[in-house]
């Protein structure tokens, strides 16, 4: 019986994704979910969404920062190859991200990047920036970790939020935001990757976790102070399955792998990080019992995807390789990344989980979103 239900759900969602892809080509993505079926989150009555984070959710802010744009490979094709008119929007994927699918599920337009001039922010705003960290630039400098190509850390994004709300709801933000959804993250993973690439030991990275989590918790408190009542705080995916991490650890003779072929040490570390974050969220929930503060379990969502990889339409031969990449055991080279000259995308991104070695494909994001929404809806206290 359970197997039959799973098959029906999988087939139903495959039909949704196929029709979505067709309508994306016609520029009608935002009408799709409403036309096909009422999005599950529409019953929650969410009228605005606010996103903070890094490249997993940036929809164009990096491209509007001069230095960030100059150093981001996401500004070149084949990024966006499956987006409307193959537009390079700054999304680090071949198409839509999780925040895009969440907006569609709520019956809302896709969120505009907050740095876009004269954009419509009546349905929310996306403050995320590729490469952003939870820790401040100054804090990372003390740890002798250098940023990549943006200084727009979580605290900076929160400043943008503050300026935005002061202009649109300064007299009564709690009323203005009473039906809003906030996503504080995913963020905090980039500084760990920077540290790894810059020679930090696992113990040094582990010692960073409390500071990262405290920065995220401060961010949650900040959005609550403006009137947020429904907040999702995502953890990290098992990044030991990402080709970039597999490539880094592949040179270490002591590296061991799990049943999925992922780096055990890194995924164990990510579980430690996620558990620390969950404890911080638990304490916040005790402090604010009337506010929905929900842990976004990206880790479990990704494991579910891997456990059902064939049933969901992915090719099991490519689960550890990106669609867009070149060379090495995992089709990934640090010196020749997706977006660089000579690096091409695969013919069919829909059979790949990884897009470029670090970010996922549109199809993978769509399935992760499906799992996430099923998990968080009961916690959002939505009308039945």
């Amino acid at each position: 019986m359970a197997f039959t239900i799973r098959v029906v759900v999988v087939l139903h969602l495959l039909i949704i994704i196929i029709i979505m892809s067709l309508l994306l080509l016609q520029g009608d993505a935002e009408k799709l979910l409403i036309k096909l079926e009422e999005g599950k989150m529409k019953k929650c009555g969410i009228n605005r969404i606010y996103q903070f984070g890094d490249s997993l959710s940036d929809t164009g802010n990096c491209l509007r920062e001069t230095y960030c744009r100059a150093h981001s490979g996401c500004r070149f094709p084949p990024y966006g190859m499956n987006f409307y008119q193959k537009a390079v929007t700054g999304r680090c994927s071949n198409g839509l991200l999780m925040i895009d699918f969440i907006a569609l599920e709520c019956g809302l337009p896709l969120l505009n990047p907050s740095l876009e001039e004269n954009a419509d922010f009546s349905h929310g705003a996306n403050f995320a920036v590729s490469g952003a960290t939870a820790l401040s630039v100054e804090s990372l400098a003390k740890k002798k970790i250098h940023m990549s190509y943006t200084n727009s850390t979580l605290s900076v994004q929160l400043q943008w939020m503050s300026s935005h709300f002061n202009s649109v709801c300064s007299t009564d933000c709690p009323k203005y935001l009473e039906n809003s959804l906030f996503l504080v993250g995913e963020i905090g993973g980039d500084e760990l990757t920077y540290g790894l690439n810059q020679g930090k030991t696992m113990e040094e990275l582990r010692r960073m976790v409390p500071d990262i989590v405290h920065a995220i918790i401060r961010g949650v408190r900040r959005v609550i102070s403006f009137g947020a009542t429904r907040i999702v705080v995502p953890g990290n995916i098992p990044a030991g399955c990402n080709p970039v991490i597999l490539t880094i650890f592949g040179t270490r003779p002591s590296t061991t792998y799990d049943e999925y072929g992922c780096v055990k040490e890194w995924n164990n570390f990510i579980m430690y990080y996620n558990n620390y974050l969950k404890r911080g969220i638990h304490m916040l929930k005790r402090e604010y019992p009337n506010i929905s503060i929900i842990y976004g379990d990206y880790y479990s969502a990704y494991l579910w995807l891997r456990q059902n990889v064939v049933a969901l339409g992915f090719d099991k031969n490519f689960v550890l390789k990106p669609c867009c990449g070149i060379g090495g055991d995992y089709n990934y080279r640090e010196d020749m990344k997706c977006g660089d000259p000579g690096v091409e995308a695969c013919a069919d991104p829909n059979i790949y989980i990884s897009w470029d070695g670090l970010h996922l494909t549109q199809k993978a994001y769509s399935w992760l979103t499906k799992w996430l929404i099923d998990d968080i809806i009961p916690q959002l206290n939505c009308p039945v």
Side-chain angles (χ1 to χ4, degrees):
M1 181 65 178
F3 176 77
T4 303
I5 293 172
R6 179 186 295 177
V7 170
V8 171
V9 170
V10 167
L11 290 174
H12 180 62
L13 286 170
L14 282 174
I15 292 170
I16 293 175
I17 291 172
I18 292 169
I19 298 176
M20 177 175 280
S21 299
L22 292 173
L23 288 177
L24 272 171
L25 297 176
Q26 301 170 9
D28 249 340
E30 294 162 18
K31 297 178 183 177
L32 159 66
L33 208 56
I34 301 169
K35 180 178 180 181
L36 190 61
E37 67 168 357
E38 289 296 308
K40 287 185 178 181
M41 291 186 68
K42 281 203 73 178
K43 65 183 179 182
C44 297
I46 294 167
N47 59 5
R48 295 181 183 89
I49 302 176
Y50 297 96
Q51 169 80 63
F52 305 85
D54 53 27
S55 58
L56 296 188
S57 47
D58 183 3
T59 55
N61 282 321
C62 178
L63 295 194
R64 290 165 174 82
E65 291 187 345
T66 303
Y67 192 71
C68 190
R69 176 184 175 85
H71 291 79
S72 172
C74 301
R75 73 190 191 278
F76 296 118
Y79 286 94
M81 64 179 283
N82 297 113
F83 199 78
Y84 171 56
Q85 293 186 341
K86 299 185 178 181
V88 178
T89 61
R91 289 170 172 82
C92 292
S93 184
N94 61 306
L96 299 176
L97 309 180
M98 289 182 72
I99 182 57
D100 296 318
F101 287 110
I102 290 171
L104 291 171
E105 274 278 2
C106 292
L108 298 175
L110 305 185
L111 297 187
N112 290 316
S114 63
L115 297 182
E116 183 177 351
E117 295 183 3
N118 303 316
D120 178 9
F121 297 115
S122 61
H123 54 276
N126 190 335
F127 301 103
V129 182
S130 296
T133 57
L135 295 178
S136 67
V137 175
E138 295 77 17
S139 177
L140 288 172
K142 290 178 182 178
K143 302 177 190 300
K144 297 183 179 179
I145 294 177
H146 304 291
M147 292 287 287
S148 57
Y149 44 75
T150 182
N151 291 334
S152 299
T153 62
L154 178 58
S155 61
V156 173
Q157 294 175 28
L158 290 164
Q159 290 171 13
W160 295 346
M161 175 202 71
S162 179
S163 297
H164 173 70
F165 289 156
N166 285 336
S167 68
V168 300
C169 64
S170 58
T171 57
D172 194 5
C173 283
K175 178 67 175 176
Y176 183 80
L177 298 172
E178 64 182 354
N179 293 315
S180 296
L181 175 67
F182 286 75
L183 290 97
V184 184
E186 182 278 328
I187 195 165
D190 278 355
E191 50 261 66
L192 297 173
T193 305
Y194 297 156
L196 179 66
N197 281 327
Q198 294 170 30
K200 297 296 181 183
T201 66
M202 294 301 295
E203 182 54 36
E204 288 175 312
L205 296 176
R206 188 176 289 263
R207 288 199 296 267
M208 289 172 58
V209 170
D211 290 342
I212 294 172
V213 170
H214 292 157
I216 295 171
I217 297 303
R218 285 195 300 272
V220 176
R221 291 183 187 278
R222 186 78 181 277
V223 301
I224 289 174
S225 72
F226 275 93
T229 59
R230 288 189 280 193
I231 307 160
V232 176
V233 187
N236 267 297
I237 68 169
C241 302
N242 284 345
V244 59
I245 298 296
L246 286 162
T247 299
I248 292 171
F249 278 86
T251 61
R252 304 180 182 185
S254 61
T255 298
T256 57
Y257 303 89
D258 63 18
E259 67 268 35
Y260 303 109
C262 307
V263 177
K264 272 188 178 180
E265 185 177 16
W266 193 254
N267 280 354
N268 287 339
F269 172 59
I270 295 299
M271 284 192 285
Y272 167 78
Y273 168 87
N274 287 342
N275 287 332
Y276 207 103
L277 180 61
K278 283 189 275 190
R279 288 197 296 271
I281 294 170
H282 178 70
M283 288 187 287
L284 270 180
K285 292 171 74 170
R286 292 176 63 183
E287 184 177 349
Y288 299 99
N290 297 321
I291 294 177
S292 297
I293 308 172
I294 302 164
Y295 172 68
D297 196 353
Y298 286 13
Y299 197 101
S300 293
Y302 187 94
L303 286 185
W304 170 81
L305 186 152
R306 284 300 306 271
Q307 290 161 0
N308 296 279
V309 64
V310 175
L312 298 179
F314 299 97
D315 190 321
K316 64 181 180 180
N317 297 309
F318 299 142
V319 290
L320 297 177
K321 294 184 178 182
C323 166
C324 185
I326 190 171
D329 293 337
Y330 298 99
N331 199 36
Y332 178 87
R333 282 174 52 182
E334 187 66 26
D335 61 335
M336 286 189 72
K337 301 178 182 178
C338 187
D340 289 342
V343 181
E344 298 181 355
C346 63
D348 184 8
N350 286 328
I351 62 175
Y352 285 77
I353 294 174
S354 177
W355 163 246
D356 59 5
L358 179 61
H359 310 97
L360 307 186
T361 59
Q362 171 179 275
K363 182 176 176 181
Y365 283 137
S366 73
W367 285 114
L368 294 185
T369 307
K370 187 270 174 201
W371 189 97
L372 179 71
I373 288 173
D374 285 347
D375 189 55
I376 67 174
I377 276 187
Q379 306 174 68
L380 284 172
N381 299 319
C382 304
V384 177

